[in-house]
Amino acid sequence: MAATADGVADDVRHRGSRAGALAPFAVFTALLALSVLVSLCVGRFSVPVPRAIEILFSFITNPGRAIEAMDERIVLLVRTPRVVLAAFSGAALATAGVALQGVFRNPLVSPEVLGISQGAAFGGALAITLGIWGIPLLAVVFVSGLSALIFVGLLARIDGRTEIITVILSGMVVGSLFSAFVSLLQFIADPNSSLPAIVYWLMGSFATATWERVLISAPGLLIGMGLLWTLRFRLNVLSLDDAEARSLGARPELERWMIFGLVALVVGSQVAVSGIVGWIGLVIPHASRLMVGHDHRRLLPASAVLGAAFMVTIDTLARTVTAAEIPLGVLTAIVGAPVFALLLRRHYRDRSAR
Amino acid sequence: MLANRAVIKRAGAIALAVSIIGAGASFSLADDIVITDHENREVRLPAPAERIVTIPMPMASGVIALDGSDSKLVGLNPLSLTAIREGILGKIFPEANNISDAVTSTDFMPNVEALAAVNPDLVVQWGGRGPEIVDPITNAGLNTLLIKYGTEDLTRQYMTMVATAIGKPERITELVEWRDKVEKDIAAKTAAIPEDERPNVLYLGRSLSDITASGSKSNYNAWYIDLTGGKNAAAELEGSVSINREQIAQWDPEVILLNSFEPNLDVSWVYNDPILSLTKAAQSKRVYKMPLGGYRWDPPNQESPLTWMWLADLLHPEVFDYDLRAEMKKAYKVLYNYELSDADIDGIIWTAQQGDAAGYDQFKAN
């Protein structure tokens, strides 16, 4: 808590050097551009890099043209939607992570902690069991993620007040409950059709990305991120303690729930099309915080761009390293956990040195 | 208490009935039936098994075929039951639709109470998959036969074990001879086919949720692709794994085989896909869903020689001219004592869905 307030103060002091403040953004944006370009040019199907760039260029200059050849379809119908979806999802998950960590003043929370991911997973598993796909699946996922959140809200509200700690504990309870529901659905699912679909979808993957799926999830992801961006000042205020926040004219409880709702929208939209992808919401905000500080006005966009770059890179590895698709969750954890451990140690060593 | 006593009484009656049957059999056989199973266990039956439970999926229809009736099968895997209901076996043996599938979950974990309730004298279970799924059965004091999956040799061995257990060893001799004859006949003809005339064949184990393919090692599908003069397009893989469309485009298989497990899958899945529809297989209309007869034709089962003949005709029509319809009618007469109609055959080989595929002309009814 103290660190957060210090951080904000640090940032305010540092704002004098404009160029220094922009440097991390330039680096992150360059990383994103590079990862997207590389991702579009590599894959199991060999398309020479100049040819891939030519395909992209001719598509940008003449988007209405029919896509006939295999290499064009691979680049424009397989890789591009996949990269776009990965980038949007990475950005949105990182933004959601930042928002939750700000609200809880706790660097260890993520959408899983509030039970939103588990709720969304249950909605998805239910929809698959009932044979529902596409936009209706998104709706079920969102409603189910949001209802998990509402359960958490009701559980955590005691005598008209909601303590942060009760929210986290309620989130764990509700999350476990929804996880059990998912297991139950897996237990009764048809092993020839819906069970593999549920298992695969829970594992998280962009392998089935299409432009249709991009259109399904993009509105939720972009609206959610956009509205969280408009709440950046609120997030700064909410990361102070409640008494201070109230004295600054905020209504912490209401604003907190607005943010939770937006996080549910973002997570639901992402989970609906690509399953559960862990670690992004935890690792990326931390990495960004080290680079740009705690001010949400800078932390939110920095996390979004870095999250997109990270997700695109990971997904490129998942689909190119071997002939088989490597599960995304495995890679995000393998890369994410050590990075997170490193950050954690550096962060606390610096702090104790101070 | 009263209910309990009734159960005990009934169990006693059944035990008595079984022992009478057993006594009857022992006059003719004199000795116990002894079988060494795939985990080198000795399974000893005092008399031919009359009430069999099969936990491995392909074995349920195997028992029906070996016995020529559904009367000995008293419990099966839920997935065996869906195959019976979706396929033709449920029509040939309507009673088979009602056999208990409560005896096991689809992941082969037996439900011991449900098992005991059907009072089996032999339970067939997978071997080589650890004691977790076996111990509950043996602890309940039930005779357990463990079989291993994967190759043609293992298939012949476990079918022989089961035939021996039901006291019909002569029956399996006939079926193994058939398998052997067809296999040798095909192998002799494909031996002369040069490497560059063997099409790349991609068998997809799953398609709708994620796409899976398998390498060649101990993979039955790869084995019969090779037997019938094809090459496994996914040979570089290790085991059965998820792959993406881009990888399929890279392999660019000349023939695509779709699994018969997913009920909502047919060849239009390939033709409607922007990537897969550009593969050589789709362009030359050589995409086929595996037939579903007395069991699914993808894994090894009692009808496997029909799978090989079907695929051989499709991969090398210039070499093979099996009359699939005649062979199927002959086989179903032997296996199930059933006169297969042309409409039955069209249903099994999916004529309505893929009748216009390349090479399907030769399977047309006269």
Side-chain angles (χ1 to χ4, degrees), chain B residues 301-353:
Chain B
N301 65 77
Q302 66 278 6
E303 293 180 21
S304 297
L306 297 175
T307 311
W308 312 334
M309 289 189 262
W310 172 79
L311 190 59
D313 275 353
L314 289 172
L315 294 188
H316 292 287
E318 76 289 354
V319 177
F320 295 101
D321 58 348
Y322 289 115
D323 183 346
L324 188 70
R325 280 183 188 262
E327 296 286 350
M328 285 174 73
K329 284 178 182 173
K330 217 160 65 189
Y332 276 62
K333 183 73 189 146
V334 173
L335 291 169
Y336 316 114
N337 193 25
Y338 177 76
E339 303 285 348
L340 207 55
S341 73
D342 279 322
D344 289 336
I345 294 177
D346 286 330
I348 292 170
I349 64 172
W350 313 111
T351 305
Q353 291 87 348

CSV table of all heavy atoms in Angstrom, one decimal, chain B residues 301-353:
chain,number,residue,atom,x,y,z
B,301,ASN,N,-10.9,-54.5,-34.9
B,301,ASN,CA,-12.1,-55.2,-34.4
B,301,ASN,C,-12.3,-56.4,-35.3
B,301,ASN,O,-11.6,-56.7,-36.2
B,301,ASN,CB,-13.3,-54.3,-34.3
B,301,ASN,CG,-13.7,-53.8,-35.6
B,301,ASN,OD1,-14.4,-54.5,-36.4
B,301,ASN,ND2,-13.3,-52.5,-36.0
B,302,GLN,N,-13.5,-57.1,-35.0
B,302,GLN,CA,-13.8,-58.3,-35.8
B,302,GLN,C,-13.9,-58.1,-37.2
B,302,GLN,O,-13.8,-59.0,-38.0
B,302,GLN,CB,-15.0,-59.0,-35.1
B,302,GLN,CG,-16.3,-58.2,-35.3
B,302,GLN,CD,-16.5,-57.1,-34.2
B,302,GLN,OE1,-15.6,-56.9,-33.4
B,302,GLN,NE2,-17.7,-56.5,-34.2
B,303,GLU,N,-14.2,-56.8,-37.7
B,303,GLU,CA,-14.5,-56.5,-39.1
B,303,GLU,C,-13.2,-55.9,-39.8
B,303,GLU,O,-13.3,-55.5,-40.9
B,303,GLU,CB,-15.6,-55.5,-39.2
B,303,GLU,CG,-17.0,-56.1,-38.8
B,303,GLU,CD,-18.1,-55.2,-38.9
B,303,GLU,OE1,-18.0,-54.2,-39.7
B,303,GLU,OE2,-19.1,-55.4,-38.2
B,304,SER,N,-12.1,-55.9,-39.1
B,304,SER,CA,-10.9,-55.2,-39.7
B,304,SER,C,-10.6,-55.6,-41.1
B,304,SER,O,-10.3,-54.7,-41.9
B,304,SER,CB,-9.7,-55.5,-38.8
B,304,SER,OG,-9.9,-54.9,-37.5
B,305,PRO,N,-10.7,-56.8,-41.5
B,305,PRO,CA,-10.3,-57.1,-42.9
B,305,PRO,C,-11.2,-56.3,-43.9
B,305,PRO,O,-10.7,-56.0,-45.0
B,305,PRO,CB,-10.6,-58.6,-43.1
B,305,PRO,CG,-10.4,-59.2,-41.7
B,305,PRO,CD,-10.9,-58.1,-40.8
B,306,LEU,N,-12.4,-56.0,-43.5
B,306,LEU,CA,-13.3,-55.2,-44.4
B,306,LEU,C,-12.7,-53.8,-44.5
B,306,LEU,O,-12.7,-53.1,-45.5
B,306,LEU,CB,-14.7,-55.1,-43.8
B,306,LEU,CG,-15.5,-56.5,-43.8
B,306,LEU,CD1,-16.8,-56.3,-43.1
B,306,LEU,CD2,-15.6,-57.0,-45.2
B,307,THR,N,-12.2,-53.2,-43.3
B,307,THR,CA,-11.5,-51.9,-43.3
B,307,THR,C,-10.4,-51.9,-44.3
B,307,THR,O,-10.2,-51.0,-45.2
B,307,THR,CB,-10.9,-51.6,-42.0
B,307,THR,OG1,-11.9,-51.8,-41.0
B,307,THR,CG2,-10.4,-50.2,-41.9
B,308,TRP,N,-9.6,-53.0,-44.3
B,308,TRP,CA,-8.4,-53.0,-45.2
B,308,TRP,C,-8.8,-53.1,-46.6
B,308,TRP,O,-8.2,-52.4,-47.5
B,308,TRP,CB,-7.5,-54.2,-44.9
B,308,TRP,CG,-7.2,-54.4,-43.4
B,308,TRP,CD1,-7.2,-53.5,-42.4
B,308,TRP,CD2,-6.9,-55.7,-42.7
B,308,TRP,NE1,-6.9,-54.0,-41.2
B,308,TRP,CE2,-6.7,-55.4,-41.4
B,308,TRP,CE3,-6.8,-57.0,-43.2
B,308,TRP,CZ2,-6.4,-56.4,-40.4
B,308,TRP,CZ3,-6.5,-58.0,-42.2
B,308,TRP,CH2,-6.3,-57.7,-40.9
B,309,MET,N,-9.9,-53.9,-46.9
B,309,MET,CA,-10.3,-54.0,-48.3
B,309,MET,C,-10.9,-52.7,-48.8
B,309,MET,O,-10.6,-52.3,-49.9
B,309,MET,CB,-11.3,-55.2,-48.4
B,309,MET,CG,-10.7,-56.6,-48.3
B,309,MET,SD,-11.8,-57.9,-48.7
B,309,MET,CE,-12.4,-58.4,-47.1
B,310,TRP,N,-11.7,-52.1,-48.0
B,310,TRP,CA,-12.3,-50.8,-48.3
B,310,TRP,C,-11.2,-49.8,-48.7
B,310,TRP,O,-11.2,-49.1,-49.7
B,310,TRP,CB,-13.1,-50.3,-47.1
B,310,TRP,CG,-13.6,-48.9,-47.2
B,310,TRP,CD1,-14.8,-48.5,-47.8
B,310,TRP,CD2,-13.1,-47.7,-46.5
B,310,TRP,NE1,-15.0,-47.2,-47.6
B,310,TRP,CE2,-14.0,-46.7,-46.8
B,310,TRP,CE3,-12.0,-47.5,-45.6
B,310,TRP,CZ2,-13.8,-45.4,-46.3
B,310,TRP,CZ3,-11.9,-46.2,-45.1
B,310,TRP,CH2,-12.7,-45.2,-45.4
B,311,LEU,N,-10.2,-49.7,-47.8
B,311,LEU,CA,-9.1,-48.7,-48.0
B,311,LEU,C,-8.2,-49.1,-49.2
B,311,LEU,O,-7.8,-48.3,-50.0
B,311,LEU,CB,-8.3,-48.6,-46.7
B,311,LEU,CG,-7.3,-47.5,-46.7
B,311,LEU,CD1,-8.0,-46.1,-46.9
B,311,LEU,CD2,-6.5,-47.4,-45.4
B,312,ALA,N,-7.9,-50.4,-49.3
B,312,ALA,CA,-7.1,-50.9,-50.5
B,312,ALA,C,-7.8,-50.5,-51.8
B,312,ALA,O,-7.1,-50.0,-52.7
B,312,ALA,CB,-6.9,-52.4,-50.4
B,313,ASP,N,-9.1,-50.7,-51.9
B,313,ASP,CA,-9.8,-50.4,-53.1
B,313,ASP,C,-9.7,-48.9,-53.4
B,313,ASP,O,-9.7,-48.5,-54.5
B,313,ASP,CB,-11.3,-50.8,-52.9
B,313,ASP,CG,-11.6,-52.2,-53.3
B,313,ASP,OD1,-10.7,-52.9,-53.8
B,313,ASP,OD2,-12.7,-52.7,-53.0
B,314,LEU,N,-9.7,-48.1,-52.3
B,314,LEU,CA,-9.7,-46.6,-52.5
B,314,LEU,C,-8.3,-46.1,-52.8
B,314,LEU,O,-8.2,-45.2,-53.6
B,314,LEU,CB,-10.3,-45.9,-51.2
B,314,LEU,CG,-11.7,-46.1,-50.9
B,314,LEU,CD1,-12.1,-45.5,-49.6
B,314,LEU,CD2,-12.6,-45.4,-52.0
B,315,LEU,N,-7.3,-46.7,-52.2
B,315,LEU,CA,-6.0,-46.2,-52.4
B,315,LEU,C,-5.4,-46.6,-53.7
B,315,LEU,O,-4.7,-45.9,-54.4
B,315,LEU,CB,-5.0,-46.6,-51.2
B,315,LEU,CG,-5.3,-46.0,-49.8
B,315,LEU,CD1,-4.2,-46.4,-48.9
B,315,LEU,CD2,-5.5,-44.5,-49.9
B,316,HIS,N,-5.7,-47.9,-54.1
B,316,HIS,CA,-5.1,-48.4,-55.3
B,316,HIS,C,-6.1,-49.2,-56.1
B,316,HIS,O,-6.1,-50.4,-56.3
B,316,HIS,CB,-3.9,-49.3,-55.0
B,316,HIS,CG,-2.8,-48.6,-54.4
B,316,HIS,ND1,-1.9,-47.8,-55.1
B,316,HIS,CD2,-2.3,-48.5,-53.1
B,316,HIS,CE1,-1.0,-47.3,-54.4
B,316,HIS,NE2,-1.2,-47.7,-53.1
B,317,PRO,N,-7.1,-48.4,-56.7
B,317,PRO,CA,-8.1,-49.1,-57.5
B,317,PRO,C,-7.5,-49.8,-58.7
B,317,PRO,O,-8.1,-50.8,-59.2
B,317,PRO,CB,-9.0,-48.0,-58.0
B,317,PRO,CG,-8.2,-46.7,-57.7
B,317,PRO,CD,-7.3,-47.0,-56.7
B,318,GLU,N,-6.3,-49.4,-59.1
B,318,GLU,CA,-5.7,-50.1,-60.3
B,318,GLU,C,-5.1,-51.5,-59.9
B,318,GLU,O,-4.9,-52.3,-60.8
B,318,GLU,CB,-4.6,-49.2,-60.9
B,318,GLU,CG,-3.3,-49.1,-60.1
B,318,GLU,CD,-3.3,-48.3,-58.8
B,318,GLU,OE1,-4.4,-47.7,-58.5
B,318,GLU,OE2,-2.3,-48.3,-58.1
B,319,VAL,N,-4.9,-51.7,-58.6
B,319,VAL,CA,-4.4,-53.0,-58.1
B,319,VAL,C,-5.4,-53.9,-57.5
B,319,VAL,O,-5.4,-55.1,-57.7
B,319,VAL,CB,-3.2,-52.7,-57.1
B,319,VAL,CG1,-2.7,-54.0,-56.5
B,319,VAL,CG2,-2.1,-51.9,-57.7
B,320,PHE,N,-6.3,-53.3,-56.8
B,320,PHE,CA,-7.3,-54.1,-56.0
B,320,PHE,C,-8.7,-54.0,-56.7
B,320,PHE,O,-9.1,-52.9,-57.2
B,320,PHE,CB,-7.4,-53.6,-54.6
B,320,PHE,CG,-6.1,-53.8,-53.8
B,320,PHE,CD1,-5.3,-52.7,-53.6
B,320,PHE,CD2,-5.8,-55.0,-53.3
B,320,PHE,CE1,-4.1,-52.9,-52.9
B,320,PHE,CE2,-4.7,-55.2,-52.6
B,320,PHE,CZ,-3.8,-54.1,-52.4
B,321,ASP,N,-9.4,-55.1,-56.6
B,321,ASP,CA,-10.8,-55.1,-57.1
B,321,ASP,C,-11.7,-55.9,-56.2
B,321,ASP,O,-12.4,-56.8,-56.6
B,321,ASP,CB,-10.9,-55.5,-58.5
B,321,ASP,CG,-10.4,-56.9,-58.8
B,321,ASP,OD1,-9.7,-57.4,-57.8
B,321,ASP,OD2,-10.6,-57.5,-59.8
B,322,TYR,N,-11.5,-55.7,-54.9
B,322,TYR,CA,-12.4,-56.4,-53.9
B,322,TYR,C,-13.8,-55.9,-54.2
B,322,TYR,O,-14.1,-54.7,-54.3
B,322,TYR,CB,-12.0,-56.1,-52.5
B,322,TYR,CG,-10.7,-56.7,-52.0
B,322,TYR,CD1,-9.6,-55.9,-51.7
B,322,TYR,CD2,-10.6,-58.1,-51.9
B,322,TYR,CE1,-8.4,-56.4,-51.3
B,322,TYR,CE2,-9.4,-58.6,-51.5
B,322,TYR,CZ,-8.3,-57.8,-51.2
B,322,TYR,OH,-7.1,-58.4,-50.8
B,323,ASP,N,-14.7,-56.9,-54.2
B,323,ASP,CA,-16.1,-56.6,-54.3
B,323,ASP,C,-16.6,-56.3,-52.8
B,323,ASP,O,-17.0,-57.3,-52.1
B,323,ASP,CB,-16.9,-57.7,-54.9
B,323,ASP,CG,-18.4,-57.4,-55.1
B,323,ASP,OD1,-18.8,-56.4,-54.4
B,323,ASP,OD2,-19.1,-58.1,-55.8
B,324,LEU,N,-16.5,-55.1,-52.4
B,324,LEU,CA,-16.7,-54.8,-51.0
B,324,LEU,C,-18.1,-55.2,-50.5
B,324,LEU,O,-18.3,-55.8,-49.4
B,324,LEU,CB,-16.5,-53.3,-50.7
B,324,LEU,CG,-16.6,-52.9,-49.2
B,324,LEU,CD1,-15.3,-53.4,-48.5
B,324,LEU,CD2,-16.7,-51.4,-49.0
B,325,ARG,N,-19.1,-55.0,-51.3
B,325,ARG,CA,-20.5,-55.4,-50.9
B,325,ARG,C,-20.6,-56.9,-50.7
B,325,ARG,O,-21.1,-57.3,-49.7
B,325,ARG,CB,-21.5,-54.9,-52.0
B,325,ARG,CG,-21.8,-53.5,-51.9
B,325,ARG,CD,-22.9,-53.0,-52.8
B,325,ARG,NE,-22.9,-51.5,-52.7
B,325,ARG,CZ,-23.8,-50.9,-52.0
B,325,ARG,NH1,-24.8,-51.6,-51.4
B,325,ARG,NH2,-23.8,-49.6,-51.9
B,326,ALA,N,-20.0,-57.7,-51.6
B,326,ALA,CA,-20.1,-59.1,-51.5
B,326,ALA,C,-19.3,-59.6,-50.3
B,326,ALA,O,-19.8,-60.4,-49.5
B,326,ALA,CB,-19.5,-59.8,-52.8
B,327,GLU,N,-18.1,-58.9,-50.1
B,327,GLU,CA,-17.3,-59.3,-48.9
B,327,GLU,C,-18.0,-59.0,-47.6
B,327,GLU,O,-18.0,-59.7,-46.6
B,327,GLU,CB,-16.0,-58.6,-48.9
B,327,GLU,CG,-15.1,-58.9,-50.1
B,327,GLU,CD,-14.4,-60.3,-50.0
B,327,GLU,OE1,-14.5,-60.9,-48.9
B,327,GLU,OE2,-13.9,-60.8,-51.0
B,328,MET,N,-18.7,-57.8,-47.6
B,328,MET,CA,-19.4,-57.4,-46.4
B,328,MET,C,-20.6,-58.4,-46.1
B,328,MET,O,-20.8,-58.8,-44.9
B,328,MET,CB,-19.9,-56.0,-46.5
B,328,MET,CG,-18.8,-54.9,-46.3
B,328,MET,SD,-19.4,-53.2,-46.7
B,328,MET,CE,-20.4,-52.9,-45.2
B,329,LYS,N,-21.3,-58.7,-47.1
B,329,LYS,CA,-22.4,-59.6,-46.9
B,329,LYS,C,-22.0,-61.0,-46.4
B,329,LYS,O,-22.6,-61.5,-45.5
B,329,LYS,CB,-23.2,-59.8,-48.3
B,329,LYS,CG,-24.0,-58.6,-48.6
B,329,LYS,CD,-24.8,-58.7,-49.9
B,329,LYS,CE,-25.5,-57.5,-50.2
B,329,LYS,NZ,-26.1,-57.4,-51.6
B,330,LYS,N,-20.9,-61.5,-47.0
B,330,LYS,CA,-20.3,-62.7,-46.5
B,330,LYS,C,-19.9,-62.6,-45.1
B,330,LYS,O,-20.2,-63.5,-44.2
B,330,LYS,CB,-19.1,-63.1,-47.4
B,330,LYS,CG,-18.9,-64.5,-47.8
B,330,LYS,CD,-18.0,-64.7,-49.0
B,330,LYS,CE,-16.6,-64.2,-48.8
B,330,LYS,NZ,-15.7,-64.2,-50.0
B,331,ALA,N,-19.2,-61.6,-44.7
B,331,ALA,CA,-18.6,-61.4,-43.4
B,331,ALA,C,-19.7,-61.3,-42.4
B,331,ALA,O,-19.7,-61.9,-41.3
B,331,ALA,CB,-17.7,-60.2,-43.3
B,332,TYR,N,-20.8,-60.5,-42.7
B,332,TYR,CA,-21.8,-60.3,-41.7
B,332,TYR,C,-22.6,-61.5,-41.5
B,332,TYR,O,-23.2,-61.8,-40.4
B,332,TYR,CB,-22.7,-59.1,-42.1
B,332,TYR,CG,-22.2,-57.8,-41.7
B,332,TYR,CD1,-21.0,-57.3,-42.2
B,332,TYR,CD2,-22.9,-56.9,-40.8
B,332,TYR,CE1,-20.4,-56.1,-41.8
B,332,TYR,CE2,-22.3,-55.7,-40.4
B,332,TYR,CZ,-21.1,-55.3,-40.9
B,332,TYR,OH,-20.6,-54.1,-40.5
B,333,LYS,N,-22.7,-62.4,-42.5
B,333,LYS,CA,-23.4,-63.7,-42.4
B,333,LYS,C,-22.6,-64.5,-41.4
B,333,LYS,O,-23.2,-65.1,-40.5
B,333,LYS,CB,-23.4,-64.4,-43.8
B,333,LYS,CG,-24.2,-65.7,-43.8
B,333,LYS,CD,-25.7,-65.4,-43.7
B,333,LYS,CE,-26.4,-66.8,-43.5
B,333,LYS,NZ,-27.5,-66.7,-42.6
B,334,VAL,N,-21.3,-64.5,-41.5
B,334,VAL,CA,-20.4,-65.4,-40.7
B,334,VAL,C,-20.4,-64.8,-39.2
B,334,VAL,O,-20.6,-65.5,-38.3
B,334,VAL,CB,-19.0,-65.4,-41.2
B,334,VAL,CG1,-18.1,-66.1,-40.2
B,334,VAL,CG2,-19.0,-66.2,-42.5
B,335,LEU,N,-20.2,-63.4,-39.1
B,335,LEU,CA,-20.0,-62.8,-37.8
B,335,LEU,C,-21.3,-62.7,-37.0
B,335,LEU,O,-21.3,-63.0,-35.8
B,335,LEU,CB,-19.4,-61.4,-38.0
B,335,LEU,CG,-18.0,-61.3,-38.5
B,335,LEU,CD1,-17.7,-59.8,-38.9
B,335,LEU,CD2,-17.0,-61.8,-37.5
B,336,TYR,N,-22.4,-62.3,-37.7
B,336,TYR,CA,-23.6,-62.0,-36.9
B,336,TYR,C,-24.8,-62.9,-37.4
B,336,TYR,O,-25.9,-62.6,-37.0
B,336,TYR,CB,-23.9,-60.5,-37.1
B,336,TYR,CG,-22.8,-59.6,-36.9
B,336,TYR,CD1,-22.3,-58.8,-37.9
B,336,TYR,CD2,-22.1,-59.5,-35.7
B,336,TYR,CE1,-21.2,-58.0,-37.8
B,336,TYR,CE2,-21.0,-58.7,-35.5
B,336,TYR,CZ,-20.6,-57.9,-36.6
B,336,TYR,OH,-19.5,-57.0,-36.4
B,337,ASN,N,-24.5,-63.8,-38.4
B,337,ASN,CA,-25.6,-64.5,-39.0
B,337,ASN,C,-26.7,-63.6,-39.5
B,337,ASN,O,-27.9,-63.8,-39.2
B,337,ASN,CB,-26.2,-65.5,-38.0
B,337,ASN,CG,-27.1,-66.5,-38.7
B,337,ASN,OD1,-27.0,-66.8,-39.9
B,337,ASN,ND2,-28.0,-67.1,-37.9
B,338,TYR,N,-26.3,-62.5,-40.2
B,338,TYR,CA,-27.3,-61.5,-40.6
B,338,TYR,C,-27.1,-61.3,-42.1
B,338,TYR,O,-26.0,-61.2,-42.7
B,338,TYR,CB,-26.9,-60.2,-39.9
B,338,TYR,CG,-27.8,-59.0,-40.3
B,338,TYR,CD1,-29.1,-58.9,-39.8
B,338,TYR,CD2,-27.3,-58.0,-41.1
B,338,TYR,CE1,-29.9,-57.8,-40.2
B,338,TYR,CE2,-28.1,-56.9,-41.4
B,338,TYR,CZ,-29.4,-56.8,-41.0
B,338,TYR,OH,-30.2,-55.8,-41.4
B,339,GLU,N,-28.3,-61.2,-42.8
B,339,GLU,CA,-28.3,-60.9,-44.2
B,339,GLU,C,-28.2,-59.4,-44.4
B,339,GLU,O,-29.2,-58.7,-44.2
B,339,GLU,CB,-29.5,-61.5,-44.9
B,339,GLU,CG,-29.7,-63.0,-44.7
B,339,GLU,CD,-28.8,-63.8,-45.6
B,339,GLU,OE1,-28.1,-63.2,-46.5
B,339,GLU,OE2,-28.7,-65.0,-45.3
B,340,LEU,N,-27.1,-58.9,-44.9
B,340,LEU,CA,-26.9,-57.4,-45.0
B,340,LEU,C,-27.6,-57.0,-46.3
B,340,LEU,O,-27.4,-57.5,-47.3
B,340,LEU,CB,-25.4,-57.2,-45.1
B,340,LEU,CG,-24.9,-55.8,-44.6
B,340,LEU,CD1,-25.3,-55.5,-43.2
B,340,LEU,CD2,-23.4,-55.9,-44.7
B,341,SER,N,-28.5,-55.9,-46.1
B,341,SER,CA,-29.1,-55.4,-47.3
B,341,SER,C,-28.3,-54.3,-48.0
B,341,SER,O,-27.3,-53.8,-47.3
B,341,SER,CB,-30.5,-54.8,-47.0
B,341,SER,OG,-30.3,-53.6,-46.3
B,342,ASP,N,-28.6,-54.0,-49.2
B,342,ASP,CA,-27.8,-52.9,-49.8
B,342,ASP,C,-28.0,-51.6,-49.1
B,342,ASP,O,-27.0,-50.8,-49.0
B,342,ASP,CB,-28.2,-52.7,-51.3
B,342,ASP,CG,-27.5,-53.8,-52.2
B,342,ASP,OD1,-26.3,-54.1,-51.9
B,342,ASP,OD2,-28.1,-54.3,-53.1
B,343,ALA,N,-29.2,-51.4,-48.5
B,343,ALA,CA,-29.4,-50.1,-47.8
B,343,ALA,C,-28.5,-50.1,-46.5
B,343,ALA,O,-28.0,-49.1,-46.1
B,343,ALA,CB,-30.9,-50.0,-47.4
B,344,ASP,N,-28.4,-51.3,-45.9
B,344,ASP,CA,-27.5,-51.4,-44.7
B,344,ASP,C,-26.1,-51.0,-45.1
B,344,ASP,O,-25.5,-50.2,-44.3
B,344,ASP,CB,-27.5,-52.8,-44.2
B,344,ASP,CG,-28.8,-53.3,-43.5
B,344,ASP,OD1,-29.6,-52.4,-43.1
B,344,ASP,OD2,-29.1,-54.5,-43.5
B,345,ILE,N,-25.6,-51.5,-46.2
B,345,ILE,CA,-24.3,-51.2,-46.6
B,345,ILE,C,-24.1,-49.8,-46.8
B,345,ILE,O,-23.1,-49.1,-46.4
B,345,ILE,CB,-23.9,-52.1,-47.8
B,345,ILE,CG1,-23.9,-53.6,-47.4
B,345,ILE,CG2,-22.5,-51.7,-48.4
B,345,ILE,CD1,-23.6,-54.5,-48.6
B,346,ASP,N,-25.0,-49.1,-47.6
B,346,ASP,CA,-24.9,-47.7,-47.8
B,346,ASP,C,-24.8,-46.9,-46.5
B,346,ASP,O,-24.1,-45.9,-46.4
B,346,ASP,CB,-26.1,-47.2,-48.6
B,346,ASP,CG,-26.0,-47.7,-50.1
B,346,ASP,OD1,-24.9,-47.8,-50.6
B,346,ASP,OD2,-27.1,-47.9,-50.7
B,347,GLY,N,-25.6,-47.4,-45.5
B,347,GLY,CA,-25.5,-46.7,-44.2
B,347,GLY,C,-24.2,-46.8,-43.6
B,347,GLY,O,-23.6,-45.9,-43.0
B,348,ILE,N,-23.6,-48.0,-43.6
B,348,ILE,CA,-22.3,-48.3,-43.0
B,348,ILE,C,-21.2,-47.5,-43.6
B,348,ILE,O,-20.4,-46.9,-43.0
B,348,ILE,CB,-22.0,-49.8,-43.1
B,348,ILE,CG1,-23.0,-50.6,-42.2
B,348,ILE,CG2,-20.6,-50.1,-42.6
B,348,ILE,CD1,-22.9,-52.1,-42.4
B,349,ILE,N,-21.2,-47.5,-45.0
B,349,ILE,CA,-20.0,-46.8,-45.7
B,349,ILE,C,-20.4,-45.4,-46.0
B,349,ILE,O,-19.6,-44.7,-46.7
B,349,ILE,CB,-19.6,-47.6,-46.9
B,349,ILE,CG1,-20.7,-47.6,-48.0
B,349,ILE,CG2,-19.1,-49.0,-46.6
B,349,ILE,CD1,-20.2,-48.2,-49.3
B,350,TRP,N,-21.4,-44.8,-45.5
B,350,TRP,CA,-21.8,-43.4,-45.6
B,350,TRP,C,-22.0,-43.0,-47.1
B,350,TRP,O,-21.6,-41.9,-47.5
B,350,TRP,CB,-20.8,-42.5,-45.0
B,350,TRP,CG,-20.3,-42.8,-43.6
B,350,TRP,CD1,-19.0,-43.2,-43.4
B,350,TRP,CD2,-21.0,-42.8,-42.4
B,350,TRP,NE1,-18.9,-43.5,-42.0
B,350,TRP,CE2,-20.0,-43.2,-41.4
B,350,TRP,CE3,-22.2,-42.4,-42.0
B,350,TRP,CZ2,-20.4,-43.3,-40.0
B,350,TRP,CZ3,-22.6,-42.5,-40.7
B,350,TRP,CH2,-21.7,-42.9,-39.7
B,351,THR,N,-22.7,-43.8,-47.8
B,351,THR,CA,-22.9,-43.5,-49.3
B,351,THR,C,-23.6,-42.2,-49.4
B,351,THR,O,-23.3,-41.4,-50.3
B,351,THR,CB,-23.7,-44.6,-49.9
B,351,THR,OG1,-23.0,-45.8,-49.7
B,351,THR,CG2,-23.8,-44.4,-51.4
B,352,ALA,N,-24.6,-41.9,-48.6
B,352,ALA,CA,-25.3,-40.6,-48.7
B,352,ALA,C,-24.4,-39.4,-48.5
B,352,ALA,O,-24.6,-38.4,-49.2
B,352,ALA,CB,-26.5,-40.6,-47.7
B,353,GLN,N,-23.4,-39.5,-47.6
B,353,GLN,CA,-22.6,-38.4,-47.4
B,353,GLN,C,-21.4,-38.3,-48.3
B,353,GLN,O,-20.9,-37.2,-48.7
B,353,GLN,CB,-22.0,-38.4,-45.9
B,353,GLN,CG,-23.0,-38.2,-44.8
B,353,GLN,CD,-23.7,-39.5,-44.4
B,353,GLN,OE1,-23.6,-40.5,-45.1
B,353,GLN,NE2,-24.5,-39.4,-43.3
